[in-house]
């Protein structure tokens, strides 16, 4: 197992994955526990109607009178995307650049495996970890919906969990690619974080400013969040997230071949 980069990376991530999964379960449970009290508020729609129109568009507040709408606004349009981005970018930056800075990447490169295969296996490990977190989110959402009668179906929970997973995968792949090319974890985190922030600003501005609206579909946040993500089904926009992550891995594949890692350190 320890001669396989993919399995070794998963083994190293086992404790972190358990902790993140538990955190997601607790977070979803706490938010779901609020729904029965919110549901009993008869003037909920009136309260939301008094809030700024721009805020309503950004978080789809008019839909918060339903269980899925409530969790969409409370979790799936801001907090959960941020959590998946933090994990994806952190893991992606550490995958190659972290190994290089720690002086362990040269040990991988002396193995009978090409640099391109190392990048691919690191990327597959990243995607597997994010899928595991997505599965934990799906289990948490469906189970807490049953406990607190939130009214979220398995299909709705699956679409929301997939959206979070794909969003984290795209920016995690960006961090991995930048780290593989430049060999610096801080650079990888900085570039991926800046790109995610710019994409969110474009998404938010597109919802509130008519002149920006035509450009909004270019944002991965729009591709992941529009129409839900709880209850969005399988929109074609998800393919852009898949394609973006795959393209970034392809860009990163040749980065290690021919590099003098020891001299770089």
């Amino acid at each position: 197992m320890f001669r396989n980069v993919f399995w070794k990376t998963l083994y190293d991530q086992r404790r972190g994955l358990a902790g993140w999964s538990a955190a997601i379960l607790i977070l979803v449970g706490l938010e779901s526990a609020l729904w029965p009290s919110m549901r009993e508020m008869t003037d909920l729609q009136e309260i939301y109607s008094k809030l700024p129109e721009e805020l309503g568009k950004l978080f789809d507040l008019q839909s918060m009178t339903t269980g899925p709408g409530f969790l969409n606004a409370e979790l799936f349009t801001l907090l959960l995307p941020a959590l998946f981005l933090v994990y994806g970018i952190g893991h992606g930056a550490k995958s190659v650049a972290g190994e290089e800075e720690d002086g362990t990447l040269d040990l991988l490169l002396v193995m009978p495996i090409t640099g391109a295969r190392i990048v691919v296996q690191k990327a597959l490990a990243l995607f597997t970890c994010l899928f595991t977190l997505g599965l934990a989110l799906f289990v948490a959402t469906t189970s807490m919906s049953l406990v607190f009668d939130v009214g979220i179906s398995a299909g709705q929970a699956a679409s929301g969990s997939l959206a979070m997973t794909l969003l984290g995968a795209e920016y995690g792949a960006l961090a991995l690619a930048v780290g593989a090319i430049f060999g610096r974890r801080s650079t990888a985190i900085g570039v991926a974080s800046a790109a995610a922030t710019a994409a969110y600003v474009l998404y938010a501005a597109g919802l509130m400013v008519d002149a920006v609206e035509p450009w909004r579909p270019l944002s991965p946040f729009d591709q992941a969040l529009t129409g839900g993500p709880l209850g969005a089904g399988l929109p074609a926009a998800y393919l852009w997230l898949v394609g973006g992550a795959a393209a970034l891995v392809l860009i990163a594949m040749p980065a290690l071949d021919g590099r003098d890692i020891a001299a770089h350190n």
Side-chain angles (χ1 to χ4, degrees):
M1 174 176 121
F2 296 107
R3 296 190 179 188
N4 184 289
V5 176
F6 172 76
W7 288 112
K8 176 62 167 60
T9 303
L10 291 184
Y11 180 83
D12 291 340
Q13 290 290 320
R14 67 193 187 284
R15 291 190 178 90
L17 270 178
W20 278 81
S21 299
I24 287 174
L25 177 62
I26 293 171
L27 178 63
V28 175
L30 290 174
E31 289 292 343
S32 298
L34 295 175
W35 171 242
S37 298
M38 297 293 291
R39 183 177 53 206
E40 298 302 321
M41 297 177 62
T42 56
D43 57 346
L44 193 60
Q45 187 68 46
E46 182 181 352
I47 294 174
Y48 292 144
S49 66
K50 294 179 180 179
L51 295 173
E53 182 180 355
E54 292 77 9
L55 189 64
K57 289 181 179 179
L58 184 59
F59 296 106
D60 194 17
L61 296 180
Q62 297 302 316
S63 299
M64 285 186 69
T65 53
T66 67
F70 175 74
L71 282 194
N72 263 330
E74 290 288 320
L75 288 179
F76 282 84
T77 57
L78 185 61
L79 189 53
L80 282 173
L83 289 177
F84 274 78
L85 286 173
V86 168
Y87 181 86
I89 291 173
H91 185 157
K94 185 180 179 181
S95 291
V96 178
E99 294 260 18
E100 186 167 350
E101 290 184 341
D102 293 341
T104 55
L105 184 59
D106 50 350
L107 299 178
L108 295 179
L109 291 174
V110 299
M111 295 172 59
I113 182 174
T114 64
R117 285 189 61 189
I118 291 175
V119 169
V120 169
Q121 291 192 30
K122 286 286 189 179
L124 289 176
L126 166 66
F127 298 152
T128 301
C129 290
L130 284 165
F131 177 81
T132 302
L133 290 184
L135 183 60
L137 176 58
F138 171 79
V139 172
T141 304
T142 51
S143 60
M144 293 303 163
S145 176
L146 291 174
V147 171
F148 297 104
D149 193 23
V150 184
I152 297 173
S153 68
Q156 290 174 318
S159 67
S161 301
L162 180 59
M164 300 301 100
T165 301
L166 294 178
L167 188 63
E170 176 150 337
Y171 287 99
L174 176 58
L176 185 150
V178 173
I181 294 169
F182 294 101
R184 291 289 179 263
R185 181 162 31 186
S186 59
T187 302
I189 292 174
V191 171
S193 299
T197 301
Y200 186 79
V201 170
L202 175 60
Y203 166 70
L207 288 172
M208 295 181 283
V209 181
D210 291 339
V212 182
E213 197 278 335
W215 301 96
R216 197 185 74 204
L218 297 177
S219 170
F221 282 88
D222 184 76
Q223 297 157 15
L225 304 183
T226 294
L230 283 177
L234 292 173
Y238 284 4
L239 294 176
W240 287 106
L241 296 169
V242 174
L248 288 165
V249 174
L250 289 174
I251 292 171
M253 283 177 61
L256 299 183
D257 292 328
R259 280 245 309 267
D260 189 347
I261 299 299
H264 182 74
N265 288 331

